[in-house]
Amino acid sequence: MSTSLRHILATLGDPLVEVVTAPQGLGVRVDDVVILDPEDPPEAHAGDLVLVIGARGRSAAPAIRVAGKSGAAAVAVKGATGLASVAADAGVTLLEVRPEARWEQVEALTRAVIDAARAGGEAETGEVLGDLFSLAQTIATLTGGLVSIEDTASRVLAYSRAGDEVDELRRLSILGRQGPERYLAMLREWGVYQRLRAGEGIVRIDERPDLGIRRRIAAGIHAGSQPLGTIWVQEGSQPLNDQAESALLGASRTLAPQLIRHRTLPSPENRLREDLLVSLLDGRVDAESVADDIGADPARPAMVVVFALHREGASTGRQLRRAELVNLISVHTAAYRRSAMVSVIGGRVYALLPDLPDRGETRVLALAKEIVAAAARHLDVPVRAALGGVVPRLAESVLSRADADRVLATMARGHWKADVASLADVRAEVLLSEVLAYLGDQPRIRDPRLTELVTHDAEHGGILIPALLAYLDAFGDVRKAAGELNIHPNTVRYRVRRAEEISGIDLADPAQRILTQLQLRL
């Protein structure tokens, strides 16, 4: 039984490799993984995933051509610059292996997926649950008790190795993967869950031999005020040690990131879609290669919307809020466009909306406003949304993403008061920001007279530049500039005239006038 390249990429998780081009799509069958050394004669077979070691850049081109001719599923190289067109002409998928990845690691993980498929199963990474079981065992060692970790629905996520003194509550919880209802009802009646949800601290439950319950201590796991789960430590044949409560409190704080990952980690298939979206928006993969996998028509218009939290809090709380925001955005955008994709890049949430109909920008603007309102209403999360321009083809989504980032930056500087803005709304501010950024990076083209004026003013009270800028922003209306600065109009006239004398600029010259206004804004 074979597997697909798509399943291999999804199972690898945080990608060791990235798709550069996939002329046959990611559904191609993979039967084997082979290593090709440049000293060996180039050879590949149909269904092979070929790892080209020891050859980078153009030196890997012969191996790519041979792989394509033989019908190989894909070729993986390090340093794929300049090879996309070679792979496309050869009709074979090209993967770029990250520089820090070891070839033996890529080969071992890939072979594990292929072997699992041959055996009729699927490979699962299980990273988060593995971490939780390991932590449960560590907590058991530190406390001297029997540990179980549960989510907010009392489902058992992980537990330490069993001893010989397991009580009825622990035995039934682990066997059923959830606390038995009659015991849960008693814990609720005793106020245990209320205290665990209330905040950080240790909750003690006395032994109840009549109910088959041994002594316990427990601690809630929180991200800010948001409850994530509970750690339970049951006393065994020996009393819990003196450090048990301190260790449990530390463990409850340590476990928050793991439980957030458990709640927010996407499935392998969704993770692959997110990785493809990131590659597409970063311009690292061509749209035609991934269009089928994301269910989009590469020849139809597309648009990118970026969402960002207004205010950031503690890291665990921020991560959880962002994960909830991703889910909310995914639901809304999928309702509008089946092929919509959502991913997080650099702390921002990006939504790609492909296959847009005519006048789609108007509907997307309304959709963004709905999402921002829903985030405030249901998640109590203040969010900004910035729309990039509509691009005619999926391949140009990287340009729409760049537009959206510019709009968001303009909003962050306070040039737009609403929580949602499109490129059309703030085009003038975006253009001005681009011009100022260019001036900032090119000191050679600035007027040295203005640089000297700024230096002089800083050394003599800093009163000339504000008056000059207010005068220019008011189009020479002295009274309006005076009102902005809350000074007398004659004072504005004097300071503007003095700035002209010191610098030698001529504000009657339109070119010097606009250059002065731009450069002083730096």
Side-chain angles (χ1 to χ4, degrees), residues 25-47:
L26 300 181
V28 292
R29 190 188 80 245
V30 179
D31 298 318
D32 199 6
V33 55
V34 297
I35 294 177
L36 185 61
D37 191 291
E39 296 182 0
D40 298 333
E43 185 180 5
H45 301 90

Side-chain angles (χ1 to χ4, degrees), residues 27 80 140 197 222 224 264 304 324 348 404 409 442 458 463 473:
R197 286 193 299 269
H222 298 84
T264 62
V304 173
E324 292 172 337
R348 297 173 174 179
Q442 303 289 334
I463 59 174
D473 287 345

Side-chain angles (χ1 to χ4, degrees), residues 300-304 336-337 353-358 360-361 364 390-391:
R300 293 286 303 280
M303 175 188 255
V304 173
Y336 171 59
R337 276 278 161 290
L353 299 167
D355 303 332
L356 286 183
D358 292 339
E361 185 173 9
V364 174
V390 176
V391 291

